[in-house]
């Protein structure tokens, strides 16, 4: 922030793009930011009348000014708000061509090299940021390859560019944009995504990020609870899933004539049903915890009933009673750190803005949210399945302890989830159990409730968070809330101008996440068999996510006192 | 909510391409197709009678081509009866059943009380036959299980296979109720459906 402010002070300038509502003191700053970047967004360049308003002159940047680096980062992170990524890259490409003197020479001789350097800088920053997810975007990949080849052709002419070109070389390699023709896609392993596979397959392995092209297994149920397992791309559309199911069930061949169209329905454990539209994509990671996909005809839709609860009600017999609070908390933190690290920083931007410009998958972020809700239900489930009052109070104490250790680990996601789980109405109404909680823990929990209190826009939590040093696992849902407010609170485009201040605020948020993850999280844990058992338990909770059922259990434990 | 414990679970094992899915789909849906789609894991449910009341027959069709040892163990431990399928056109496919049989023994212990059927499928392909019926029979004797040859394509011995398997169950009386009592079964099915709508 500091260098940027200083930079901006030097630029006494007039309004170029308007900021959203709530302008006041900071308005001056917004205006100047916009001006530096935006000559290109403002007016059509005379040489190229065909260019659109939001066009490529952001390339007029001259690195390595620190403030410009920040602005460059803003643009790279958020360009998809006003322009699809492939179009963004095409402009870069076009700019490089212009600097090379084709299609028409636009600049003085002495300007060519700096302009090419600018393109390179932008490209390098882009590749650095998009590392890991570029393979999913074919058209963007193609432009980058073209541009890369162009630059390589030039490499011998401009010795000053040597360092950048070397870096470019490495980056193109790390993002696996092989320039050779006809490379075979690497044979990808099918990843276990769904609980029934997750449970027995590789839950102990370190999580790696999911990408849209990954293949996964998925069960699709019929109204009578028969199921078929299909293999599908993570990004498959509902239509694709349905045609795999139809094929498996032999609808197409022998019953071809009286074929009835199938619909895909997500059925939650509570019986709630949602029909998925044929064009929807990546539906797998958006399902609720105990929701399942059903294929049925329109006639059988009404008769769909959820699968029976998977969980065996065998009171007080789960791992949680045997293991120390500290071990559970540390395994929670370790797992959530893995999940958090799998989320690409652009997923945060895309999650909030998706649907507006070309959809990129946000599977890893969705899985983290799913997990957050899973932990909340796990806490409630474990407590409500514990029949003996004394044991239950003991468990309550253990969960408060777990929350405390998670907080100490700076794992605010687990901390929040456990506290929310204990605040579940089915748990908080257990008066007898709470009464048995030792005073010290009652006080501790009161503090935790205070820390998670949403009043004054989560002031207490935010203050605690700013005092922490990385590594931190933040309470991710709050980040999404902030981003949503930033998005809905101000317009992206106004009179054809881009609201750079908005982009900057969003990018700042993303940089905070970057900071949280800037240092690795290391917890000391042994790998004894009992530790592995705990690890497996923590990574594959069986939970009840049907609130009615949780209430039922709760009233059975402690009937209402009337 | 359907009672899980009331289900009678049959698991079908065998190498890839021997016709496990064809047998199951012929039995469940009465259909057959020539094209081959490798199975990962499918389960079909049918209402049958068990100890004079209704229960659900769950037939789990497993994978022959993927390797999921953990899933295989889970299927075995949850299964009540097993169908081991090979193709009479491939000696190799009979060989490949051995480790599966051994694993069933290992997990279930006393296999003599567990219904197991060794099945030689594709009996219609007499020209390509590699395994004689007598060899299958001999293997079944060695494994102390029942034996049958079938053709999913010609619908030969398919219903019989499942009925025989259920007959082997001595711990309870399970029956498909194929002949005569069909109307009664049908009624029960409708009764069940009625229930679902109410829910």
């Amino acid at each position: 922030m500091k260098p940027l402010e200083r930079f901006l002070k030097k630029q006494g300038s007039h309004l170029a793009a308007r900021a959203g509502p709530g302008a006041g003191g900071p308005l001056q700053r917004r205006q100047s930011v916009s001006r530096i970047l935006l000559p290109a967004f403002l007016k059509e360049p005379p040489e190229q009348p065909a260019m659109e308003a939001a066009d490529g002159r952001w390339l007029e940047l001259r690195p390595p000014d620190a403030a410009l680096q920040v602005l460059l980062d803003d643009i790279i992170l958020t360009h998809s708000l006003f322009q699809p990524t492939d179009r963004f890259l095409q402009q870069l490409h076009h700019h490089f061509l212009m600097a090379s003197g084709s299609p028409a020479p636009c600049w003085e001789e002495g300007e060519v090299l700096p302009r090419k350097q600018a393109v390179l800088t932008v490209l390098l920053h882009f590749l650095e940021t998009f590392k890991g997810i570029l393979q999913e975007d074919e058209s963007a990949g193609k432009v980058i390859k073209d541009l890369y080849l162009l630059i390589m052709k030039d490499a011998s002419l401009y010795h000053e560019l040597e360092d950048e070109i070397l870096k470019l070389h490495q980056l193109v390699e790390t993002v696996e944009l092989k320039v050779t023709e006809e490379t075979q896609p690497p044979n990808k392993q099918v990843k276990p995504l769904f609980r029934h596979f997750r449970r027995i397959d590789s839950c102990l392995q370190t999580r790696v990020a999911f990408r849209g092209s990954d293949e996964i297994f998925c069960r699709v149920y019929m109204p009578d609870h028969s199921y078929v397992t299909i293999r599908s791309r993570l990004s498959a559309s509902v239509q694709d899933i349905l045609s795999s199911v139809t094929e498996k069930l032999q609808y197409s061949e022998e019953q071809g004539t009286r074929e009835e169209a199938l619909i895909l329905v997500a059925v939650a454990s509570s019986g709630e049903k949602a029909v998925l539209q044929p064009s929807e994509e990546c539906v797998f990671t958006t399902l609720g915890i105990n929701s399942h996909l059903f294929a049925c005809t329109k006639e059988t839709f009404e008769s769909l009933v959820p699968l029976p609860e998977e969980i065996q009600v065998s009171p007080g017999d789960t791992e949680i009673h045997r293991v120390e609070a500290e071990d559970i908390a540390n395994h929670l933190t370790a797992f959530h750190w893995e999940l958090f690290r799998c989320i690409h920083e652009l997923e945060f931007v895309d999650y909030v803005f998706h649907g507006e410009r070309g959809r990129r998958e946000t599977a890893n972020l969705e899985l983290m949210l799913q997990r957050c809700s899973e932990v909340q239900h796990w806490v409630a489930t474990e407590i409500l399945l514990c029949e003996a009052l004394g044991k239950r109070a003991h468990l309550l104490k253990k969960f408060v302890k777990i929350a405390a250790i998670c907080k100490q680990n700076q794992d605010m996601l687990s901390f929040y989830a456990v506290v929310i789980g204990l605040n579940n109405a089915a748990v908080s109404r257990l008066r007898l159990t709470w009464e048995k909680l030792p005073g010290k823990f009652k006080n501790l929990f009161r503090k935790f409730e205070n820390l998670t209190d949403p009043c004054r826009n989560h002031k207490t939590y935010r203050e605690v968070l700013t005092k922490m040093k990385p590594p931190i696992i933040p309470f991710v849902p709050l980040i999404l809330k902030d981003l949503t407010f930033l998005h809905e609170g101000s317009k992206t485009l106004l009179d054809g101008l881009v609201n750079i201040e908005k982009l900057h605020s969003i990018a700042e948020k993303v940089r905070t996440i970057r900071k949280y993850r800037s240092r690795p999280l290391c917890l000391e844990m042994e790998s004894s068999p009992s530790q592995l058992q705990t690890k497996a338990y923590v990574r594959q909770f069986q939970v009840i996510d049907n609130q009615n059922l949780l209430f039922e259990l709760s009233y059975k434990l402690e009937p209402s006192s009337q | 909510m359907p009672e899980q414990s009331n289900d009678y679970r049959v698991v079908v094992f065998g190498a890839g391409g021997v016709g496990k899915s064809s047998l199951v789909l012929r039995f469940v849906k009465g259909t057959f197709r020539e094209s081959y789609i490798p199975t990962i894991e499918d389960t079909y449910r049918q209402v049958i009678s068990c100890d004079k009341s209704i229960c659900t027959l769950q037939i789990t069709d497993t994978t022959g081509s993927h390797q999921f040892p953990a899933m295989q163990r889970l299927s075995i431990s949850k299964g009540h009866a097993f169908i081991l399928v090979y193709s009479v056109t491939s000696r190799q496919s009979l060989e490949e059943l051995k480790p599966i049989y051994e694993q069933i023994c290992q997990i279930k212990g006393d296999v003599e009380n567990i219904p197991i059927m060794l099945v030689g499928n594709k009996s219609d392909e007499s020209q390509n036959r590699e395994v004689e019926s007598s060899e299958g029979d001999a293997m079944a004797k060695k494994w102390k299980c029942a034996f049958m040859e079938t053709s999913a394509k010609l619908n030969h011995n398919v219903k019989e296979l499942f009925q025989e398997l259920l007959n082997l169950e001595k711990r309870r009386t399970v029956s498909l109720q194929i002949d005569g009592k069909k109307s009664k079964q049908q009624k029960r099915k409708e009764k069940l459906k009625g229930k679902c709508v109410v829910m």
Side-chain angles (χ1 to χ4, degrees):
Chain A
M1 236 9 229
K2 277 281 153 60
L4 179 65
E5 306 274 9
R6 229 178 297 133
F7 178 82
L8 294 168
K9 272 190 187 143
K10 279 190 253 166
Q11 313 274 328
S13 75
H14 291 293
L15 193 126
R18 216 169 271 218
L27 187 63
Q28 288 309 322
R29 183 165 62 89
R30 284 180 195 158
Q31 291 154 359
S32 24
V33 175
S34 310
R35 190 187 168 274
I36 311 156
L37 263 178
L38 283 184
F41 298 126
L42 299 179
K43 55 175 190 264
E44 317 242 64
E47 320 85 40
Q48 293 283 327
M51 279 192 186
E52 287 168 25
D55 227 325
R57 287 233 187 146
W58 31 267
L59 293 166
E60 317 269 315
L61 308 176
R62 301 291 156 85
D65 190 296
L68 283 173
Q69 281 298 330
V70 172
L71 291 170
L72 177 58
D73 196 41
D74 290 351
I75 296 277
I76 298 279
L77 283 171
T78 60
H79 71 267
S80 58
L81 263 74
F82 61 91
Q83 195 165 58
T85 297
D86 50 347
R87 178 111 181 78
F88 179 86
L89 287 166
Q90 274 160 15
Q91 283 175 8
L92 203 58
H93 187 246
H94 182 79
H95 208 83
F96 193 84
L97 278 179
M98 295 224 301
S100 307
S102 66
C106 299
W107 293 293
E108 302 288 317
E109 195 57 34
E111 279 211 69
V112 171
L113 190 61
R115 280 175 193 282
K116 287 193 171 178
Q117 255 164 345
V119 172
L120 251 179
T121 309
V122 177
L123 182 63
L124 286 172
H125 199 100
F126 177 87
L127 289 174
E128 196 86 62
T129 309
F130 277 69
K131 224 189 299 184
I133 57 170
L134 263 183
Q135 300 93 311
E136 304 300 318
D137 191 342
E138 250 176 67
S139 53
K142 204 184 150 297
V143 186
I144 293 175
K145 273 181 209 169
D146 289 351
L147 189 51
Y148 174 66
L149 291 175
L150 264 182
I151 294 169
M152 293 326 281
K153 218 168 65 188
D154 266 7
S156 56
L157 297 175
Y158 305 103
H159 288 293
E160 287 99 311
L161 297 183
E162 222 169 278
D163 285 352
E164 279 94 339
I165 284 171
L166 194 69
K167 219 170 130 196
L168 179 65
H169 229 31
Q170 292 166 344
L171 269 174
V172 168
E173 226 149 73
T174 52
V175 298
E176 288 176 61
L177 287 163
K178 302 271 162 36
V179 190
T180 47
E181 296 290 307
E182 298 297 317
T183 37
Q184 287 285 326
N187 213 348
K188 281 196 171 178
Q189 242 195 321
V190 181
K191 292 184 182 172
L193 174 57
F194 292 97
R195 30 192 58 250
H196 30 270
F197 291 110
R198 190 163 74 199
R199 179 155 304 135
I200 35 192
D201 258 282
S202 46
C203 77
L204 291 175
Q205 284 168 19
T206 305
R207 269 300 184 102
V208 288
F210 281 98
R211 297 288 173 240
S213 59
D214 285 340
E215 291 217 300
I216 51 143
F217 290 136
C218 160
R219 277 184 188 172
V220 180
Y221 290 82
M222 309 300 135
D224 71 345
H225 293 180
S226 293
Y227 64 79
V228 293
T229 310
I230 57 163
R231 184 179 174 150
S232 143
R233 277 170 61 106
L234 184 63
S235 62
S237 70
V238 166
Q239 191 56 57
D240 295 339
I241 299 168
L242 283 175
S243 44
S244 305
V245 173
T246 310
E247 191 186 16
K248 283 219 72 142
L249 292 176
Q250 305 189 350
Y251 275 116
S252 47
E253 283 185 21
E254 300 187 20
Q255 294 168 314
T257 46
R258 49 173 213 88
E259 188 179 331
E260 273 184 285
L262 292 175
I263 52 173
L264 197 66
V265 185
V267 181
S269 58
S270 61
E272 211 172 294
K273 293 175 233 176
V275 179
L276 304 170
Q277 295 310 311
S279 59
E280 274 181 70
E281 290 181 353
C282 302
V283 295
F284 304 114
T285 47
T286 60
L287 296 176
I289 304 166
N290 290 344
S291 292
H292 295 90
L293 291 175
F294 279 71
C296 67
T297 58
K298 286 210 171 67
E299 286 76 55
T300 48
F301 174 75
E302 283 302 319
S303 67
L304 291 185
V305 286
L307 298 182
E309 284 293 337
E310 218 178 307
I311 200 157
Q312 302 296 325
V313 188
S314 54
D317 191 37
T318 62
E319 188 76 7
I320 181 110
H321 298 272
R322 287 187 284 271
V323 187
E324 292 294 326
E326 191 181 351
D327 290 336
I328 298 216
N330 286 343
H331 280 293
L332 279 173
T333 301
F335 186 40
H336 296 163
W337 179 251
E338 278 177 27
L339 293 176
F340 183 47
R341 278 186 35 137
C342 284
I343 308 171
H344 197 282
E345 52 189 33
L346 285 157
E347 288 188 49
F348 289 94
V349 180
D350 291 334
Y351 184 85
V352 177
F353 309 103
H354 84 244
E356 303 196 1
R357 301 271 179 179
R359 172 97 157 89
R360 259 192 300 262
E361 288 91 33
T362 51
N364 301 296
L365 179 53
E366 280 152 13
L367 288 172
M368 175 105 261
L369 296 175
Q370 218 175 52
R371 171 66 177 180
C372 187
S373 144
E374 188 177 67
V375 172
Q376 294 167 25
H377 286 103
W378 161 68
V379 173
T381 303
E382 290 287 5
I383 288 190
L384 294 169
L385 286 183
C386 185
E387 279 180 354
L389 176 59
K391 221 172 164 184
R392 195 162 62 242
H394 191 76
L395 193 55
L396 193 61
K397 187 176 124 190
K398 197 179 243 177
F399 275 122
V400 177
K401 234 189 217 168
I402 289 172
I405 300 163
C406 287
K407 179 169 163 274
Q408 212 179 310
N409 289 343
Q410 306 201 122
D411 171 8
M412 301 312 280
L413 186 106
S414 310
F415 167 77
Y416 249 94
V418 172
V419 173
I420 294 172
L422 292 174
N423 268 326
N424 184 312
V427 176
S428 58
R429 67 166 290 282
L430 299 172
R431 196 174 47 84
L432 299 176
T433 317
W434 284 95
E435 270 171 11
K436 271 184 154 329
L437 191 66
K440 190 181 133 199
F441 284 87
K442 269 185 200 150
N443 287 335
L444 195 56
F445 188 68
R446 215 163 290 142
K447 268 189 204 154
F448 291 167
E449 275 185 309
N450 185 32
L451 178 51
T452 54
D453 189 344
C455 80
R456 294 157 81 198
N457 200 6
H458 298 265
K459 184 166 181 289
T460 327
Y461 165 70
R462 288 181 203 273
E463 278 170 6
V464 169
L465 203 63
T466 44
K467 281 184 205 130
M468 289 179 173
K469 290 200 176 70
I472 299 167
I473 308 175
F475 182 54
V476 173
L478 191 60
I479 295 178
L480 297 177
K481 185 192 144 194
D482 289 348
L483 283 171
T484 306
F485 269 75
L486 281 174
H487 180 38
E488 290 181 353
S490 58
K491 287 191 169 134
T492 309
L493 289 166
L494 199 70
D495 303 333
L497 306 182
V498 177
N499 183 355
I500 285 287
E501 177 59 19
K502 174 175 174 174
L503 304 193
H504 179 67
S505 315
I506 290 163
E508 278 290 294
K509 205 80 207 164
V510 175
R511 281 190 284 268
T512 326
I513 297 160
R514 203 181 281 167
K515 195 187 87 194
Y516 294 152
R517 304 195 279 201
S518 60
R519 292 184 50 189
L521 187 139
C522 306
L523 290 169
E524 270 187 39
M525 284 190 281
E526 340 156 30
S527 54
S528 64
S530 70
Q531 282 292 337
L532 284 181
Q533 200 181 330
T534 310
K535 185 175 174 184
Y537 164 74
V538 165
R539 287 166 179 242
Q540 50 194 0
F541 291 142
Q542 275 187 305
V543 307
I544 297 172
D545 71 341
N546 179 352
Q547 188 62 33
N548 291 334
L549 188 53
L550 291 175
F551 269 122
E552 233 171 77
L553 290 167
S554 174
Y555 280 106
K556 224 191 284 172
L557 292 175
E558 294 184 23
S560 20
S561 49
Q562 278 170 24
Chain B
M1 217 175 271
E3 261 303 306
Q4 202 74 37
S5 59
N6 204 20
D7 289 357
Y8 190 76
R9 289 186 288 271
V10 172
V11 189
V12 186
F13 286 118
V18 298
K20 295 179 293 298
S21 303
S22 294
L23 280 170
V24 173
L25 285 171
R26 172 62 90 182
F27 174 68
V28 177
K29 295 191 178 290
T31 58
F32 180 82
R33 77 174 147 217
E34 296 281 349
S35 59
Y36 175 58
I37 306 171
T39 302
I40 302 151
E41 190 195 279
D42 301 335
T43 291
Y44 299 93
R45 299 165 71 94
Q46 283 218 326
V47 178
I48 58 163
S49 92
C50 170
D51 293 336
K52 289 180 182 163
S53 71
I54 288 174
C55 89
T56 304
L57 175 65
Q58 255 193 47
I59 304 166
T60 299
D61 182 14
T62 65
T63 176
S65 38
H66 292 85
Q67 286 301 312
F68 306 122
M71 281 182 65
Q72 187 170 310
R73 274 196 299 279
L74 189 74
S75 305
I76 294 172
S77 63
K78 287 177 95 180
H80 297 113
F82 301 93
I83 298 175
L84 306 181
V85 187
Y86 68 93
S87 162
V88 300
T89 65
S90 156
R91 184 167 299 283
Q92 174 67 21
S93 71
L94 179 59
E95 293 297 319
E96 283 180 40
L97 283 175
K98 275 179 191 164
I100 299 174
Y101 174 78
E102 277 158 18
Q103 185 146 44
I104 295 175
C105 293
Q106 198 193 354
I107 292 172
K108 290 293 188 189
D110 180 20
V111 286
E112 273 179 65
N113 286 320
I114 292 169
I116 299 178
M117 180 73 79
L118 180 65
V119 174
N121 191 35
K122 304 194 189 178
S123 66
D124 54 289
E125 291 194 40
S126 47
Q127 287 177 325
N128 302 323
R129 191 183 266 276
E130 273 186 19
V131 184
E132 288 308 318
S133 171
S134 56
E135 293 173 80
D137 206 26
M139 184 60 86
K141 286 213 169 69
K142 193 175 146 199
W143 285 352
K144 299 191 182 89
C145 68
F147 171 68
M148 210 178 244
E149 279 196 356
T150 58
S151 164
K153 189 174 181 176
L154 303 181
N155 197 8
H156 173 66
N157 261 353
V158 178
K159 258 182 195 167
E160 289 81 350
L161 156 65
F162 285 91
Q163 184 59 64
E164 273 303 303
L165 183 75
L166 296 188
N167 289 346
L168 292 172
E169 180 56 74
K170 299 301 174 211
R171 291 162 295 184
R172 41 180 155 166
T173 318
V174 272
S175 165
L176 296 175
Q177 287 191 327
I178 298 165
D179 308 307
K181 294 169 191 167
K182 203 168 187 173
S183 60
K184 203 173 164 187
Q185 190 197 346
Q186 212 64 39
K187 255 186 223 162
R188 279 175 176 157
K189 259 190 183 170
E190 277 159 23
K191 209 169 125 194
L192 263 192
K193 264 186 195 161
K195 261 188 200 162
C196 293
V197 175
V198 173
M199 283 169 92

